Structure formats: structure tokens, C-alpha cells
Amino acid sequence: MSVPAATPGHAAGEPAFSRRLGAVMLATMLAVLGGGVALSLAIDRQATEQQVLHATGVLAETIGAQAGALVGGLEQALLGINHLAGSGVSATTLAATMATRENVLPDGVVLAVVDSAANPVLATAAGRRRMAGLQSGVLARALGAMGPVPVGQLTYLPPIRSVAGSVLPLAERLEDGRIAVALLPLRLMEGFYARLGLGSGAAVALLDESGRLLSRMPPVPVEMVGEPLPRALPIAGLLARGEGWTGLYVSNADGIPRYTAMRPVPGQPLAVAVGVRDSEALAQWRRRAWLASSLTVLAILASGGGLLLVGREARRRLDAQASASARLELLARGSAGIAAMAELPALLGHVGRMARETLAVPYACIALHGAARDGGQHAVSLAPAGGWFRPHNAWHRAPDERHRLPPRPPGQQPAGEPPPALLSTLEQWATDPALAAAALGPRLFPAEPLAGLPARAAIALRDEQGRPLGVLAVARADDTGFSADDAAMLSQLGRMAGIAIRNRALIAGMQRAAEEASSARERIERLLESVSDGFIALDANWHITYANAAALRLVRRRHDRLVGRSLWDMYPVLVELEAFEQLQAVASLGQPREFEQHFAGAPGRWFQCYAFTAADGVAVFFRDVTETRHTQELMRASQRMEAVGQLTGSVAHDFNNLLAVIMGNAEMLEDTLDPADQENRHAAWLIRDAGDRGAALVRRLLAFASHQPQAVQVVVPETLLEGLLPLLRRSVGDKVRLLLTRHEALPRLLLDPGQAENALLNLAINARDAMPDGGTLTIALAPAELDEPELEGFPVARPGRFLRLSVTDTGSGMTPEVLARAAEPFFSTKADGRGSGLGLASVYSFVRQSGGVLRLESQPGEGTCVTMLLPADPAIPPAAPVPAELAPVPTPQHGGSEHVLLVEDEASLRHNLTQQLSRLGYHVTALACGPSAMAALRDGLRPDLMLLDVILPGGISGPRLAGLARQHVPDLPVLLMSGYALAAGGEEEGALPLLIKPCPQAVLARRLRHMLDAREWS
């Protein structure tokens, strides 16, 4: 690495380029300076002109006000004459009034009344004398030019001449045809102008609305007075608008350009123009312009000389800076490799090479002393193989001869190869410990030709406490000394070498730490890749710096599509969610946060996250807990259903007792009424019908809560559906078309046929309500095989053979929100009073209680399909005939004469049942609790049948009471009653028959008669 030397062409071309650059810069500076001065002078001139025009305008307004006052006085005088003449005063009075007014006006003003020929009719003596001085006929010609002017209107006539000068006549026609005249000597105006002292070049003029010159100061030739100006302004338009005018105007009287301001005379059709000669107005500006131009020239000359001096100095400094930059570049490139060198020999050799290259010397040596040697190599000398050193005898030649050595012949050793003795002497000098101890700063040694030593320089290397570590020494190839820049560069090299030597252990430790950190990072990454939770690392700018395999799998992205990108750019929806606030809190507060985040979508996903601060940002562990949340939701829903079921069962008991009383009394009332009393019998029937509907509602509640007892039996689907078709057709109405499709080999079912019919009827009614304008209702039956995954959400269902019963309509369908809540209890979209919200809920409960699966499919506007998957009876093959059940023993609809023991804790119901049994002919003993019944049995009561409530007070339930009673009366028939939902009798061995409250009297009579007759047959 070496410093490139400047080529001759480059060296010769650089001054020419510098001169051209200086000339361009000087021309640019002159142009900018001259342009700036010119622009400043132009702005100053414009401001001066504006000031002059403003002052001239103010003066014109002042003169106009004076002229307006003078002319206004004349106008008032003529107005008074006109008034007096019109009022019929005598000529003497009018003449006296005119004389009085004339004396008040300025000297020389004449007031008179003349006829149409301009002959004075009324005038003062002085006025007659002044009118006599008028040129002959001029006033008559002026009055003749008035035309048909209305009476009382003031008219300005053209100026006329007199022996005393020009006169401005003002005329006003009287009612009798005469004319009132006021003659204003224009010398009065000229005298006023002269008193203003405007200067020799200023001018003041009075103009009428036609642009005629009425008066001017300085005076103009007489023939110009009363004549329009050749370059007159549109005064009439300006006077009509009440505006003035300012600008540069050249007078036709003397041809002098003036800054002129024209202003209207207040209240009069006249205008005053005031002009100031341009040379006088711009005199001060011209002096300022001359001074600024002179100073600009001087500044340009001074700047040019200074620029030349600055250019020379700049070239010198640029050369020095280029040389220093080249050295610094070499120093920077060389120092970059020091950090990677932990071995001392390599470090010393690298520093020596840097010293040779930056100082452009052929020899460098770095030697260590004392503890810095570290038990290893203590000195490294670097010298060229040949060509840099001059022969030893060349040091005694003249300086100009040292550069003219003869070329080396081919085959000979290079003439500049340093002799071994010189290298030994330099190394002995450089490794001397005394040199390191004495050299506090850079030490420069001149050449010693007699001793054969070139120019040398050395600097000590020291530790933090200032103790010597060694020395860095360099030597030139000749006696050329080292400059101050060389000494400064040597100081930099020495400082850098000392730091590198002191820190070599630290560098080695850092390398070991970096290797250990890299190894630890690899171990951590292997650990993170092995965990099932997702992990991402974020830097301070929220860019993802790392993501493990689980994170890529959970977010469903490739590594190159995730790592290196901003978290907020990848997932902008996070900004609106809780995760944004949580992560910001972790980053700002430094505290870990654990939270759950839900992402809406199809399907929505839940993530459990744990965020904490990392070295350069935030790290997050997260896992997908969607399934866990779904399981929890199912568990909570199941718990809610169980709670509702328990509440339903509790309410159903009391409600059934009330319904039993209502229905029983209604039946007795209907039986006791005269058949001819249709009105009251109908009322009794309405009460009983309401009770029946209430009982049906309770049964649906119990079915929904899975507490409705099931009368399970083998069911043939075809037979069940065919028997229900008439009811279905009546229920859906004529607008709905009912279709039935079924498979040939349908499985047999083991379920409660009554609840199955109720479920089908509910689905058909829902379909009808969804098609108010009519449509098609399709009921399909088909076999199906279901596996374990298809039974999710229905824990009672087991894999195997099922009957697929589908009810499909072409109605309005359901939105996803409604579909999600369709099976909820008491949820209904029908109008108020039209639905209880238990139809589909009871269907769901029936299917679940039967061990089946319920599926809902619907789209808005496309209809709804409800599918019940009911388990087949594995004991009966498909399409096998079902054994006919034994027909029930025919029993009469009336009662009997046996003795019935009734135990019912509800007093009203006990009374009603007692009446019903008595009406049937039975002897009844009615008790309220189990202990009372046991006491009666112990006292010798022997009933033929016991009718017991299941739940009784006194600590003895109905089933237990039956067992205790049979100890006294063996084989005693017992019929249980309950408003609770209990298992149906006969399903388990030893179970007692059960009658669900409320029940009609006919059902109670048949059940009692059947049990009593069965006992007799046995």
C-alpha cells in the first residue's frame, strides 16, 4: 500500500484549472454584486418616486381645497343674487347687496348682472371699470356659448382676456332672462401658487372638466389659457368618480417631465395638477446611486484581490489536505484490521507496515520492552528487499547527484539494496530501551552522513500509567528530514499501536465471547425450534428479527415472508386490538404481560401470549388456544343447559299441580253442566283446553331440559311418518307443498314415538312460518353411517348406523348470527306472541336425549335444512317386522267400588283428586303425608290401591312409602303421580308405574281400572 505520486500532466494542469476556476468565481461574484447593487438602486428609485408622488398628491389636495373655497365663495354670491332677483327686491337693494358681497371677496373679483349681450345691468363702479377693461365682445361670445342652461345652474365659461390679465367668468341665468356673472382674476390663483415656493422646476395648473387650462404657474403664453391641453388626462371621468391621478407627465408648455399629481377641487368641476421636476425629485437618489456605484467598484476591486490571495492559500491548503487525507485513508484502512488480530507478532507486523505506508518510509521497527513482551517476540523490523535505500557512499554526494544514479545493468544486484550493516545499525538504534524511556513525544533525528545514518523518527509506546511499553521507529532512505505533519502522523500511529497492544487481551477475550455468544445463540435457537409454542423476537422498531418453526406454522407464513418485516405492517389489525396496548406497555414499562387475543374471521382464532422485554426489543411466546376456548364454551353452555333444566324441573312440579287442579275441576264442571247449557259447557271446555296447552308447554320445557320421561319402544320410521302425514298437512296449510322421500332399507329406531312426532311437527311448523307466501317442504328419510369425528358436540351419540331425517324448506333462511342462536331456549325471530322459542330447542333436546345428532344448514334467501340423525336399534336389522304390541286390556270408562288410599301434599289437588275418584265410585281415604299413611296402615287400613305423589313431606317419599305399605299389604297395587320429570315406569326391574300430572280424568280412570283388573286376573 503506497501513496500515488502526481503525474506531470496532472501537476501542470492543476494551476490552469485553478486559474479558470478563480476567473469564473470572480466573474460570478462581480455579476452577483453588480446585480444586487442594481436591484437595490432600482428598488430605492421606486421608493423615492412613490414618496415624491405622495408628497405631490398631498400638495395638490391642499391647493384644491383652497381653490374650492375661493370658487365656492363665488358660487354662494351668485346664488344669493339669483335669490334676491327672484324675490322681487328693488334694483337698488340688489346693487347694494352685490357691492357688499364684492367687498367681502378677494380684491379684483367682479359681481354683476348683465343682459344677453353682456351689457352690465347692475354692477358696482369698480366692477364696471374692470368689465370695461375686457377685450371687446369676449364676454358676449362666452355668454352666447352657454346654450340653454337651466335657471340657477352655475356655469364655468372659458377664460377671457382683459387688460389686467386672464379672467375666469362664472355665470348663472336668472328667471327674468338676465345673467348673474362673477369674474375671477386668475392672477389671484397665480399669486397663491407663487407663495407656495415649490421650486424653480415645479408647476401648478387649474383645469376644468373639459381639460382646458384655466391657470398655470409658472405662466404660459396667453393663447394657451382656455385651450385644452394636447396630452390632457380624462379629467371628466376622474371628476365623476372622485378619483385622482399620479404619474410622470411631460408638459406641452415647456416639454419638461414632471412627477405630477392631479386631484379634484372639492364640490367643483375643476381639477388641480401639481408637478415636480424629475431632476429635482431624484436628486438625492442620484447622489445615493453614485455613492453606491463607487463603493461597489471599490468592493469589487478589493474582493478580486482578496479572492486571488484566498485562492492561492486555498490551493496550498488543498494540497496539504489531499496529502493528509491520503495518509488518513491509509491509516483508517490499516487500523480496521487491528481489531481482528489477537496474536502479538501479527499485530506488530501490521503496525510496522502501516507506519511504512503512511509515512512513505522504507524502514520501520516496532520493539517492545518489559512486561509488554509477554514472553514472546519483542521486535519486528520491516525493510524492502532492495531499491529504496541509496548506496552508502551516496550520502556524501551533493543533493542534486543523489537522484541521478546510473541504472542497474541486467544481472547485477540492485544498487539500492540496503547493506546489512546499515540495517543492523538501524535495528540496534530502534531497539535500544533508552530510546523508549526518553521519547515522551515524537523525536526527530536528522541524517548523520558521516555515521551513514539517514533521517529517523521515533515515538514511545506507553500504557495507561505512562510506563514505557516499547518504541515505534522509522527511517528515510536519505537525509530528507521529517515534517511537522510526519510527526503528527507518527503520534497517531504510536497512540494506535499502544492501544492495540494494551487491548490485545481484550480483543482475544471479545473474540472468545463472540464465539461463545454465537454458540449460545445456536443452542437457544435449537431449544426454541424444539418447543411447540410460537416465539418471535422484535427489535426496537417492531421489526421481526426471529421466528421459530412453531410461530411460522401458527401464523401460516414462510420465513422470508415474516422475518425482517414490521409487525404492524404485516398485521395492521393488531393496532385496533388489545395486543397493541399490551406490547406497547411491555416496551415502555419493561414489565412482562400475559394476555389472550382473539382474531375475528372465518374461523376466529384465540392466542394466549406472554410478552417480555429482550435485549433490543420485545419477545413473545404464543400458542393457539382456539380448541381450548371452544371446549370451555361447550362446557359453559352445557352447564347453562343443566341449570336451565334443573330450574325447569322445579318449576314444572308446581305448575303441573296447578294445571291438574284446573283441568280436573274443568272436567267435573263440564260433566255436571246440563248438555243444553252450551255457553257454560263451552267456557268449561276453554278452561280445560287452556290447561291442555299449558301441560303441552310444560312437556316441551321438560323435553328441552332432558327431563321428560321417554316411553321408549321400537319404531318403524315409515309407519311413524305415514301416521303423522295428515296432521302435518293440516299444520302447514294449503300454500305449502309437502314432499316425502325415503330410502327402501331404513333402520329401526328405539325411541319415544310421541316425542319424535312432536319434533317433526315443530320442524314443520317452523318451516311453514319461514314460507308465508308458500313454498315446498321436503321430508327425507335415509340410512347413514357416522364416525367419531362427525359426532363432535354430541357426547351421548356413539358411532354406528343412524337414520337421517331431513326437513328442508324453501323459505327465507337464516343469517349466520341467527343460525348460531337458533337452538337456544326462548330465542325466536317471530313476531311477539307467535313463538315461544322452545320449538327447535325441544327438538335439540329430544335428539340429544335419544343419542342422536342435530345439524342446521341455512343461507339467507335459500331456505333451511334441519337434519336429525337418530341412532338405529342394533338388535333389529333394517326393514325387519316389528312384533305387534299386546293390545291393552279393554276397560270400562267408569270407575269401581274399590278402596283407594290417596296421599297428596297439595291440598287443592288432593281435594280435586278425591272428588274425581268419588265420582268414579271409589272409596277414598285422602292423606297429606307418608307418616299419616303409615299410621293408618298400622291401624288396620287395607286399601285396594294406593295413589301416591312421588315427593311427599314428612321424610317418606312416594316410592319408599309404597315399599313400606307392601310390608303390611303384600302385592298392593301402587300408582305414582308426579309433576317432576322422572323415568318412566317399567324400564327398570322393580320400578313402579308413573302417571304424569296433569292428566285427564279419563286417563286416570283407565289407569286405575287397568291396575285393579290386572290384580284380579293375577
Side-chain angles (χ1 to χ4, degrees):
M1 189 183 302
S2 60
V3 180
T7 62
H10 176 74
E14 185 175 355
F17 173 75
S18 300
R19 285 193 296 271
R20 287 195 299 271
L21 180 61
V24 171
M25 293 179 63
L26 180 61
T28 302
M29 183 192 69
L30 293 179
V32 172
L33 185 60
V37 172
L39 179 61
S40 176
L41 291 177
I43 295 174
D44 187 25
R45 174 167 181 158
Q46 184 178 10
T48 303
E49 291 176 345
Q50 293 295 328
Q51 292 176 359
V52 171
L53 290 174
H54 176 72
T56 306
V58 172
L59 184 59
E61 291 175 357
T62 303
I63 297 174
Q66 294 292 337
L70 179 59
V71 176
L74 296 178
E75 184 178 5
Q76 291 296 323
L78 292 178
L79 183 62
I81 295 173
N82 195 353
H83 177 70
L84 291 175
S87 61
V89 299
S90 63
T92 304
T93 303
L94 183 59
T97 302
M98 292 172 54
T100 302
R101 291 182 179 274
E102 189 175 289
N103 291 333
V104 175
L105 295 172
D107 185 28
V109 175
V110 176
L111 296 177
V113 176
V114 300
D115 57 13
S116 58
N119 297 316
V121 178
L122 292 174
T124 63
R128 291 179 182 274
R129 288 194 301 272
R130 293 186 180 104
M131 292 179 67
L134 298 175
Q135 290 185 359
S136 176
V138 294
L139 181 58
R141 289 193 297 273
L143 293 175
M146 284 180 60
V149 178
V151 175
Q153 178 177 333
L154 182 66
T155 304
Y156 289 86
L157 302 178
I160 59 179
R161 300 185 184 91
S162 71
V163 295
S166 298
V167 177
L168 177 64
L170 285 76
E172 188 173 316
R173 191 178 300 278
L174 304 179
E175 292 181 357
D176 57 3
R178 295 177 298 176
I179 301 173
V181 178
L183 301 178
L184 175 64
L186 293 178
R187 59 181 175 78
L188 295 176
M189 303 294 294
E190 294 171 356
F192 173 71
Y193 299 157
R195 289 193 299 272
L196 294 176
L198 298 178
S200 60
V204 180
L206 181 65
L207 307 172
D208 64 5
E209 59 182 351
S210 300
R212 293 177 299 189
L213 180 63
L214 303 181
S215 174
R216 186 181 185 277
M217 185 65 190
V220 296
V222 178
E223 59 272 10
M224 293 184 63
V225 177
E227 298 298 328
L229 296 178
R231 293 184 294 275
L233 296 170
I235 298 178
L238 296 175
L239 293 178
R241 296 189 299 270
E243 298 177 353
W245 178 87
T246 55
L248 187 64
Y249 182 80
V250 180
S251 173
N252 60 313
D254 50 16
I256 297 175
R258 292 180 176 86
Y259 289 99
T260 303
M262 192 276 291
R263 297 290 185 271
V265 176
Q268 304 298 330
L270 303 174
V272 174
V274 179
V276 179
R277 194 168 186 171
D278 62 339
S279 58
E280 295 180 1
L282 300 178
Q284 294 184 358
W285 175 83
R286 288 192 174 92
R287 287 193 293 271
R288 290 196 299 270
W290 182 85
L291 179 60
S293 301
S294 301
L295 292 177
T296 301
V297 172
L298 292 177
I300 290 174
L301 294 176
S303 300
L307 185 62
L308 292 176
L309 295 177
V310 170
R312 292 180 181 178
E313 180 63 19
R315 283 197 301 273
R316 185 188 67 79
R317 293 192 178 188
L318 285 174
D319 294 340
Q321 184 179 4
S323 176
S325 298
R327 288 184 173 185
L328 290 175
E329 182 180 0
L330 291 173
L331 182 63
R333 281 188 287 179
S335 61
I338 290 180
M341 295 182 180
E343 298 296 330
L344 186 60
L347 177 63
L348 298 179
H350 186 74
V351 173
R353 285 189 295 272
M354 288 177 58
R356 288 179 54 189
E357 292 169 355
T358 54
L359 295 175
V361 295
Y363 176 81
C365 178
I366 180 169
L368 300 183
H369 305 291
R373 295 174 58 178
D374 199 21
Q377 184 176 358
H378 73 284
V380 174
S381 297
L382 295 100
W388 279 30
F389 280 93
R390 303 299 180 189
H392 183 63
N393 57 1
W395 297 65
H396 299 282
R397 299 180 183 175
D400 58 342
E401 294 179 352
R402 294 175 189 163
H403 303 286
R404 295 195 297 270
L405 297 176
R408 175 172 58 87
Q412 295 185 5
Q413 294 294 326
E417 182 176 350
L422 177 59
L423 290 178
S424 176
T425 302
L426 289 174
E427 186 168 341
Q428 183 178 3
W429 164 77
T431 56
D432 186 1
L435 180 63
L440 296 177
R443 295 188 61 187
L444 306 180
F445 299 89
E448 300 178 18
L450 298 179
L453 293 175
R456 291 148 294 150
I459 185 170
L461 309 179
R462 299 184 180 276
D463 59 12
E464 294 88 344
Q465 287 76 29
R467 293 171 298 189
L469 295 175
V471 67
L472 172 62
V474 294
R476 290 196 179 278
D478 50 25
D479 57 353
T480 303
F482 290 89
S483 65
D485 291 341
D486 295 335
M489 182 59 63
L490 187 62
S491 297
Q492 292 291 338
L493 289 169
R495 187 178 301 109
M496 184 177 61
I499 294 174
I501 294 171
R502 293 195 303 269
N503 294 341
R504 70 185 188 279
L506 179 61
I507 293 174
M510 290 176 61
Q511 288 180 342
R512 288 192 299 271
E515 293 175 357
E516 293 176 359
S518 177
S519 177
R521 179 181 178 87
E522 292 178 359
R523 291 195 301 271
I524 293 175
E525 288 184 359
R526 286 196 299 270
L527 178 63
L528 291 175
E529 292 297 331
S530 65
V531 299
S532 59
D533 290 349
F535 176 82
I536 60 171
L538 305 166
D539 62 12
N541 296 321
W542 300 103
H543 286 83
I544 300 173
T545 58
Y546 174 78
N548 66 352
L552 298 177
R553 183 181 67 257
L554 289 173
V555 301
R556 301 169 185 171
R557 289 185 180 270
R558 299 196 308 269
H559 184 273
D560 57 343
R561 298 294 301 275
L562 186 67
V563 176
R565 302 196 177 191
S566 171
L567 179 65
W568 314 129
D569 293 342
M570 293 289 293
Y571 302 99
V573 69
L574 287 175
V575 179
E576 303 175 358
L577 300 178
E578 179 190 0
F580 178 78
E581 300 178 1
Q582 296 286 357
L583 293 178
Q584 293 287 351
V586 172
S588 59
L589 303 178
Q591 299 176 354
R593 293 290 182 94
E594 186 173 0
F595 58 93
E596 288 190 357
Q597 182 61 64
H598 178 252
F599 292 88
R605 302 176 70 190
W606 281 93
F607 287 95
Q608 184 180 21
C609 307
Y610 178 77
F612 55 93
T613 55
D616 57 347
V618 176
V620 183
F621 280 100
F622 61 98
R623 66 177 60 177
D624 190 339
V625 294
T626 305
E627 292 297 329
T628 304
R629 291 294 295 258
H630 181 63
T631 302
Q632 293 174 352
E633 289 294 333
L634 290 177
M635 183 178 297
R636 283 194 290 268
S638 177
Q639 291 171 350
R640 287 196 299 269
M641 297 287 285
E642 182 65 25
V644 172
Q646 293 176 359
L647 177 62
T648 302
S650 299
V651 173
H653 174 262
D654 296 334
F655 193 61
N656 279 333
N657 285 340
L658 295 176
L659 289 176
V661 175
I662 294 172
M663 294 174 62
N665 284 285
E667 280 189 294
M668 288 190 298
L669 178 62
E670 187 176 3
D671 292 341
T672 57
L673 288 173
D674 187 357
D677 190 0
Q678 293 297 324
E679 182 177 356
N680 290 327
R681 289 179 64 84
H682 180 68
W685 178 85
L686 289 177
I687 297 174
R688 185 163 53 85
D689 181 67
D692 289 337
R693 287 188 283 114
L697 178 59
V698 172
R699 285 194 296 272
R700 294 173 69 180
L701 282 170
L702 293 174
F704 153 70
S706 301
H707 289 172
Q708 176 68 26
Q710 287 190 335
V712 178
Q713 62 187 49
V714 178
V715 174
V716 179
E718 305 95 309
T719 305
L720 176 70
L721 189 57
E722 289 175 359
L724 191 61
L725 274 178
L727 180 59
L728 291 176
R729 294 188 189 279
R730 288 194 302 271
S731 299
V732 299
D734 297 334
K735 292 183 179 180
V736 177
R737 181 187 178 194
L738 184 60
L739 297 180
L740 176 63
T741 62
R742 65 184 184 182
H743 197 270
E744 291 300 330
L746 296 177
R748 301 313 185 226
L749 308 177
L750 188 63
L751 46 75
D752 186 339
Q755 291 193 21
E757 292 175 350
N758 187 46
L760 266 175
L761 186 60
N762 278 328
L763 295 180
I765 292 174
N766 285 343
R768 178 202 63 190
D769 293 340
M771 300 182 290
D773 298 327
T776 302
L777 175 62
T778 304
I779 301 177
L781 301 174
E785 293 285 343
L786 298 184
D787 297 329
E788 188 70 33
E790 299 177 275
L791 304 178
E792 183 180 358
F794 294 86
V796 181
R798 295 292 180 265
R801 187 172 177 81
F802 285 77
L803 171 71
R804 184 189 304 274
L805 197 160
S806 301
V807 179
T808 306
D809 64 64
T810 58
S812 57
M814 292 182 282
T815 63
E817 294 78 11
V818 174
L819 184 64
R821 301 186 58 191
E824 291 184 10
F826 308 110
F827 175 77
S828 176
T829 58
K830 300 177 183 179
D832 294 342
R834 292 191 58 195
S836 62
L838 290 174
L840 199 55
S842 62
V843 173
Y844 174 79
S845 179
F846 160 69
V847 172
R848 184 184 59 181
Q849 196 172 359
S850 301
V853 175
L854 182 70
R855 292 176 180 171
L856 301 178
E857 299 176 9
S858 183
Q859 290 291 336
E862 298 182 5
T864 302
C865 178
V866 181
T867 302
M868 293 188 294
L869 293 162
L870 301 173
D873 185 359
I876 303 177
V882 179
E885 295 183 351
L886 292 175
V889 177
T891 58
Q893 297 298 321
H894 54 81
S897 59
E898 289 85 355
H899 187 190
V900 176
L901 175 59
L902 171 64
V903 184
E904 169 61 50
D905 60 320
E906 183 69 32
S908 58
L909 181 57
R910 185 171 65 248
H911 176 71
N912 178 262
L913 289 173
T914 302
Q915 286 185 327
Q916 291 187 25
L917 294 174
S918 297
R919 289 170 60 85
L920 292 173
Y922 295 107
H923 297 285
V924 181
T925 300
L927 300 175
C929 61
S932 299
M934 289 303 302
L937 290 173
R938 283 193 295 268
D939 292 340
L941 179 65
R942 294 298 179 262
D944 297 308
L945 182 141
M946 291 183 68
L947 183 60
L948 308 177
D949 192 4
V950 173
I951 299 178
L952 293 171
I956 302 177
S957 66
R960 184 183 176 194
L961 179 59
L964 295 175
R966 284 178 175 175
Q967 293 178 5
H968 296 277
V969 184
D971 299 328
L972 178 64
V974 178
L975 177 60
L976 297 177
M977 299 183 301
S978 178
Y980 279 115
L982 301 174
E987 293 182 0
E988 298 180 3
E989 184 177 356
L992 297 174
L994 176 67
L995 186 65
I996 300 300
K997 296 186 293 186
C999 67
Q1001 180 177 331
V1003 174
L1004 176 61
R1006 286 196 302 270
R1007 198 69 177 268
L1008 290 176
R1009 190 69 265 163
H1010 175 74
M1011 293 183 67
L1012 290 170
D1013 293 344
R1015 180 186 183 190
E1016 294 175 1
W1017 295 337
S1018 62

